[in-house]
């Protein structure tokens, strides 16, 4: 059983469309992180959110942390083919162990 | 500067053989982590090191798995008597200190036939 549930598992959209990926848990996290992983590589950190209700923007990516610090979302505006990849959310609920969701595979078609 | 490196990048072995996977963390990073990523799954925490000590080994799937870190740098993950269910990508990450940003290596893809 995953501590963090991500949805959807797969997402395929046309270039220029918007998309949202969700990360939910019944546990409270001190912080949540979003990573992107491309084939043959390790995950790369995109953002860390630490405050309930926090919204962070990174160019066309918007990250939100739920008020209760149990859930988060990633929204991509006007997706580009370069946004294709596996998006992973991860959270700390103790000092050192980072728990990962199963990931959302995003494919942006040209 | 150099990132986290792992070797080998790919490993094919026969069931029952032992394998050693190596991780070279970023220089100066005191914390080092091993994860396993199976197809369609997220990353599963295996073990972490603070310096050369491994305070938490509870993520290791069985006593066939062991890991060590020497000189506060290189780490080796050893899997004895490999089984087909051990097939996965093994990822290593390091951070300056615990709970700081983790930087991942490219992983070792292990296939047990």
């Amino acid at each position: 059983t995953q501590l963090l549930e991500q949805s959807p598992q797969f997402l395929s959209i046309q270039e220029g469309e918007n998309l949202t990926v969700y990360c939910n848990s019944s546990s409270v996290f001190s912080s949540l992180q979003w990573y992107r992983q491309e084939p043959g590589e390790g995950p790369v950190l995109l953002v860390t959110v630490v405050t309930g209700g926090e919204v962070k923007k990174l160019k066309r990516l918007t990250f939100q942390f739920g008020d209760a610090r149990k859930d988060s979302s990633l929204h991509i505006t006007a997706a580009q083919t370069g946004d294709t990849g596996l998006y992973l959310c991860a959270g700390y609920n103790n000092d050192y162990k980072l728990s990962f969701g199963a990931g959302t595979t995003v494919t942006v078609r040209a | 500067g150099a990132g986290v490196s792992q070797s080998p990048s790919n490993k094919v072995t026969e069931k029952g053989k032992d394998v050693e996977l190596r991780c070279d963390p970023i220089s100066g990073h005191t914390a080092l982590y091993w994860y396993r990523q199976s197809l369609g799954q997220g990353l599963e925490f295996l073990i972490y090191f603070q310096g050369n000590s491994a305070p938490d080994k509870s993520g290791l799937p069985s006593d066939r798995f062991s890991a060590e870190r020497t000189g506060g740098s290189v780490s080796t993950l050893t899997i004895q008597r490999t089984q087909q269910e051990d097939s996965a990508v093994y990822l290593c990450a390091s951070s300056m200190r615990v709970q700081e940003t983790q930087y991942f290596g490219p992983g070792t893809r292990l296939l047990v036939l």
Side-chain angles (χ1 to χ4, degrees):
Chain A
T1 304
Q2 300 272 161
L3 198 58
L4 287 164
E5 298 289 339
Q6 285 190 242
S7 61
Q9 188 176 358
F10 299 97
L11 194 53
S12 179
I13 61 169
Q14 201 70 31
E15 197 170 28
E17 294 181 338
N18 302 332
L19 68 96
T20 303
V21 176
Y22 299 93
C23 176
N24 295 290
S25 177
S26 57
S27 300
V28 175
F29 288 89
S30 58
S31 66
L32 273 181
Q33 302 181 338
W34 285 93
Y35 292 80
R36 185 171 76 199
Q37 184 178 19
E38 299 190 24
E41 298 180 9
V44 175
L45 181 66
L46 296 174
V47 78
T48 301
V49 285
V50 297
T51 305
E54 181 177 3
V55 177
K56 276 192 175 178
K57 292 194 174 184
L58 187 66
K59 296 182 181 178
R60 294 176 294 99
L61 278 61
T62 301
F63 304 86
Q64 193 160 7
F65 200 12
D67 291 342
R69 291 186 288 129
K70 292 182 179 182
D71 56 270
S72 181
S73 64
L74 157 61
H75 182 80
I76 301 178
T77 303
Q80 300 175 357
T81 55
D83 296 325
T84 292
L86 176 66
Y87 288 82
L88 295 156
C89 68
Y92 284 107
N93 62 353
N94 65 24
D95 285 339
Y96 53 81
K97 191 176 292 187
L98 198 57
S99 298
F100 282 82
T104 295
T105 300
V106 172
T107 303
V108 182
R109 305 185 306 274
Chain B
V4 178
S5 61
Q6 292 186 244
S7 61
S9 54
N10 293 282
K11 177 71 177 179
V12 180
T13 191
E14 293 179 349
K15 178 182 171 181
K17 299 279 177 119
D18 297 352
V19 295
E20 279 191 357
L21 312 180
R22 177 187 168 108
C23 172
D24 281 272
I26 293 172
S27 178
H29 280 195
T30 63
L32 185 148
Y33 313 80
W34 282 99
Y35 296 88
R36 180 168 70 174
Q37 186 173 30
S38 302
L39 196 62
Q41 301 292 319
L43 276 68
E44 173 191 3
F45 170 87
L46 297 179
I47 188 171
Y48 96 103
F49 289 89
Q50 178 58 50
N52 292 333
S53 301
D56 184 355
K57 303 179 182 179
S58 63
L60 295 176
S62 75
D63 59 10
R64 295 185 295 104
F65 288 71
S66 63
E68 64 175 13
R69 188 180 184 194
T70 55
S73 180
V74 172
S75 177
T76 303
L77 177 68
T78 302
I79 308 173
Q80 295 179 309
R81 304 180 303 281
T82 52
Q83 303 293 312
Q84 288 181 331
E85 60 262 29
D86 299 335
S87 297
V89 176
Y90 290 82
L91 289 158
C92 173
S94 69
S95 62
M96 186 70 75
R97 282 172 288 275
V98 172
Q99 229 181 21
E100 295 192 2
T101 298
Q102 295 186 23
Y103 296 87
F104 284 83
T108 294
R109 279 143 198 82
L110 175 66
L111 178 61
V112 182
L113 300 176

